[in-house]
Amino acid sequence: MGEAAWRHEREEPKMERAQEPRLWSAQHAQDALLRRTELIISVVLRGGVFMSAGIILIGVVGFYARDFAGAGRGVDPRAYPRTLGAVLSGVAHGDPLAVIALGLLVLIATPVLRVAVSIVTFALERDWVYVAITALVLCILIVSFLLGAGGA
Amino acid sequence: MPSEPQLLFFLFVLGASLCAGLIGSLVGLGGGIFVVPLLTIGFGLPIRLAIGASIVSVIATSSGAAAAYVRDRLTNLRIGMFLEVATTLGALAGALLAAVAPTGLLYVVFGIVLLTSVVPLVLKLGEELPEHVQSDMLARRLRLEGSYPDRLQGTDVAYRVTRVPLGFALMCGAGLLSGLLGIGSGAFKVLAMDSAMKLPMKVSTTTSNFMIGVTAAASAGIYFERGDMDPLVAAPVALGVLAGATVGAKLLGRLSNVTIRKIFVPILLLVGIRMLIEGMAVFVTAHPH
């Protein structure tokens, strides 16, 4: 409903810009760079989401398949790994709960990866103010991660 | 544990999380307000497992919807990145102060702040776009102004950004809140951008959506190591919320700013009331009579 009309109207400002290249060029170049950053960040988020959802789904199917086959009898559903090492060795042994936990770790890592990638894309734009801002965010994240691991 | 009840639990939580992800992705919240009561009151799970699952819900809502919102230019990346400095700093301070902070009092104070902020929101309930906004110096210097494609108006809508220092301070508060109490920070983020910085409602909710994942990820590692993220609880939450957030991200473009605000107001009331109740509960357990 109105999809075509919307597309049509959205294209108009672009045409206006093309007619006045001098007036728009600086702004336009900046927009194009921001657009690229947006697309890269979107791809990172989408990749992380698909990967984690896929891994979690494999773990869930594995868990219930084992459960229904009766092979899981006697396995404690509360015995799940809590560190990266335990998760990886659990996955290597084919433990479905460890597979789900791996998917959760990928999900948790996705926003952090997004911040790290943004530093690179802003650097490619030579947007040093935002390189500094994003790097500061990553530092705070790392500090809170380290403090959390040490305390609590 | 017998299989069938557990599978039923899985399917029920999956369905409920789908709804939480859908609504959360529209209004910029993480869905903890729905997930926690569902798991504790509905299924009698311990609160720590429910909070672990709600952290998963926040990250899933954020990443699931933000992929689309960033691509569709609804999220203001610069505003999100800049304000993340405030939220992560606030969250770090909150985590450090958690042991000594008067939790009950904080719940009550923040609850009252949220509930009183409903009044100005209701007064501008019919406002589609903010008018007569003048960008402040910081907004111009950091190039925070932007535009977003509005499908209903069929054109790009340019917007200005004001009172950036106030927005930054409120974001510190939002971060503090999530570090200290673990809830309600999405509602605060939307309020800071909508009411203080005068962004269009959709830009506020999608930029909040973009930011909440980072704030939650900062503390997620601790919850994971503590064993608060039970895979069999967190899995249906993650899958349901991711699906719901994907649908929500497709839906948002078709809704007006007025509609989004109408969905946001009752949820804000819910979050505020819940914080008051939590605060009272802390007082009651601290001073039993």
Side-chain angles (χ1 to χ4, degrees), chain B residues 5 15 55 76 78 86 113 161 187 195 265 280 282:
Chain B
I55 299 269
N76 186 317
R78 291 206 181 101
V113 171
V161 187
S195 299
V265 166
M280 304 294 182
V282 172

Side-chain angles (χ1 to χ4, degrees), chain A residues 28-135:
Chain A
H28 197 92
Q30 218 177 46
D31 284 356
L33 283 172
L34 187 65
R35 188 84 201 106
R36 188 177 64 176
T37 301
E38 285 171 340
L39 291 176
I40 292 171
I41 289 175
S42 173
V43 166
V44 169
L45 291 173
R46 197 171 298 272
V49 162
F50 272 114
M51 224 166 92
S52 67
I55 297 173
I56 292 172
L57 202 61
I58 292 170
V60 167
V61 170
F63 178 83
Y64 286 107
R66 189 183 68 176
D67 208 32
F68 277 108
R73 207 152 292 169
V75 175
D76 185 2
R78 279 158 305 229
Y80 49 86
R82 289 152 194 218
T83 60
L84 183 60
V87 168
L88 292 179
S89 84
V91 171
H93 288 93
D95 173 13
L97 291 180
V99 176
I100 297 176
L102 180 69
L104 294 174
L105 284 180
V106 173
L107 189 68
I108 294 168
T110 302
V112 184
L113 183 69
R114 186 269 285 168
V115 174
V117 168
S118 317
I119 300 177
V120 179
T121 56
F122 281 126
L124 289 175
E125 285 181 37
R126 296 176 185 285
D127 192 341
W128 304 119
V129 174
Y130 277 90
V131 170
I133 288 174
T134 324

